């Protein structure tokens, strides 16, 4: 039986995620209430505006139930604003914006914005086979630093003249920590479902587990 994956439907590009999940073999449904949250095997937190989604999580009384499910190990995938919400800490956020946790990273909100609001690039993505992933960034965050438990899956250059697929170092834009996946970009907008398929496999528990690195307390940084 295919897993039931929810898409948090308070704000953002919900429809596109539902379509990408269904195309990836999952049963997909919207989540706006705690009862709906309790029925899903995993959850996508879409892009939109993290401050708005944070406020709506409070008014829909979903903030604590969602924190609890994530702490209990429910697989979650956040794209863009979703990545910001899953991070343990946000830079350039609003003081009253809430974090869901699940990802031991520091993200910088609207990080590329000082140079350019939106851009696209082709990225090598660890765990996704085939050609590079075409990544659409819209007022995107980047991961400023990540704890050693976090796997870095993709990076992009923050220099518009350097193609992202060719940088070994660069800004961190896709990460995974156990059952939690996040991208700073929007795979749901491109018709390429490989990132959603990766998440569906994570929910199905079929993806390979990687050993935790121990004895290394240095954080990983994204720099070109
Ligand atoms: N800049 C938005 C935020 O801070 C994220 C943009 C997006 O999700 N496309 O939440």
């Amino acid at each position: 039986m295919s897993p039931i994956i929810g898409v948090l439907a308070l704000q953002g590009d919900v429809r596109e995620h539902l379509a990408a999940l269904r195309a990836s073999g999952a049963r997909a449904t919207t989540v706006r209430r705690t009862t709906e949250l309790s029925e899903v095997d995993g959850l996508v937190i879409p892009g939109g505006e993290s401050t708005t989604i944070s406020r709506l999580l409070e008014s829909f009384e979903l903030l604590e139930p969602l924190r609890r499910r994530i702490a209990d190990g429910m697989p979650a995938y956040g794209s863009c604003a979703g990545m910001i919400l899953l991070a343990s800490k946000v830079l350039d956020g609003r003081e009253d914006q809430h974090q869901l946790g699940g990802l031991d990273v520091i993200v910088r909100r609207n990080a590329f914005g000082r140079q350019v609001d939106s851009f696209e690039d082709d990225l090598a993505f660890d765990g996704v086979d085939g050609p590079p992933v075409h990544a659409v960034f819209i007022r995107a965050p980047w991961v400023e630093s990540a704890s050693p438990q976090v796997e870095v899956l993709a990076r992009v250059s923050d220099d518009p003249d350097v193609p992202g697929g060719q940088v070994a170092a660069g800004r961190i834009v896709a990460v995974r920590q156990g059952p939690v996946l996040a991208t700073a970009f929007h795979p749901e907008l491109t018709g390429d479902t490989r990132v959603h398929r990766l998440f569906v496999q994570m929910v199905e528990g079929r993806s390979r587990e990687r050993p935790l690195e121990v004895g290394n307390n240095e954080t990983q940084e994204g720099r070109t």
Side-chain angles (χ1 to χ4, degrees), residues 10-11 16 19 25 32 39 41 47 70 74 77 79 93 100 102 104 114 116 122 147 152 156 179 188 200 213:
L10 304 180
Q11 193 230 13
E16 291 82 353
R32 283 190 201 88
E39 284 160 8
D41 302 311
I70 291 170
M74 176 188 69
Y77 165 44
S79 91
L100 294 167
D104 201 1
R114 277 169 246 117
V116 58
D122 292 315
S147 82
V152 174
V156 71
E188 74 282 6
V200 173
E213 283 176 44

Side-chain angles (χ1 to χ4, degrees), residues 134-150:
H134 188 67
V136 178
F137 294 85
I138 304 166
R139 297 175 57 71
W142 65 46
V143 174
E144 188 102 356
S145 65
S147 82
Q149 287 81 1
V150 175

Side-chain angles (χ1 to χ4, degrees), residues 74-205:
M74 176 188 69
Y77 165 44
S79 91
C80 201
M83 172 191 256
I84 297 172
L85 285 152
L86 288 167
S88 48
K89 189 169 173 204
V90 58
L91 304 176
D92 294 338
R94 273 178 52 145
E95 261 179 32
D96 58 351
Q97 98 178 76
H98 301 291
Q99 302 310 120
L100 294 167
L103 267 185
D104 201 1
V105 299
I106 301 174
V107 293
R108 185 174 292 281
R109 213 172 136 239
N110 300 332
F112 296 94
R114 277 169 246 117
Q115 293 157 49
V116 58
D117 259 0
S118 303
F119 63 99
E120 302 183 16
D121 209 339
D122 292 315
L123 309 180
F125 194 116
D126 199 11
V128 168
D129 293 332
V133 171
H134 188 67
V136 178
F137 294 85
I138 304 166
R139 297 175 57 71
W142 65 46
V143 174
E144 188 102 356
S145 65
S147 82
Q149 287 81 1
V150 175
E151 292 174 61
V152 174
L153 304 181
R155 295 174 182 260
V156 71
S157 170
D158 55 2
D159 175 349
D161 295 330
V162 180
Q166 294 172 20
V167 281
R171 296 297 179 180
I172 299 169
V173 290
V175 288
R176 175 176 176 184
Q177 183 171 6
V180 180
L181 177 70
T183 59
F185 52 89
H186 294 267
E188 74 282 6
L189 298 181
T190 60
D192 178 353
T193 55
R194 287 176 295 165
V195 174
H196 288 80
R197 280 209 302 262
L198 170 66
F199 182 59
V200 173
Q201 283 170 10
M202 286 168 59
V203 178
E204 290 170 339

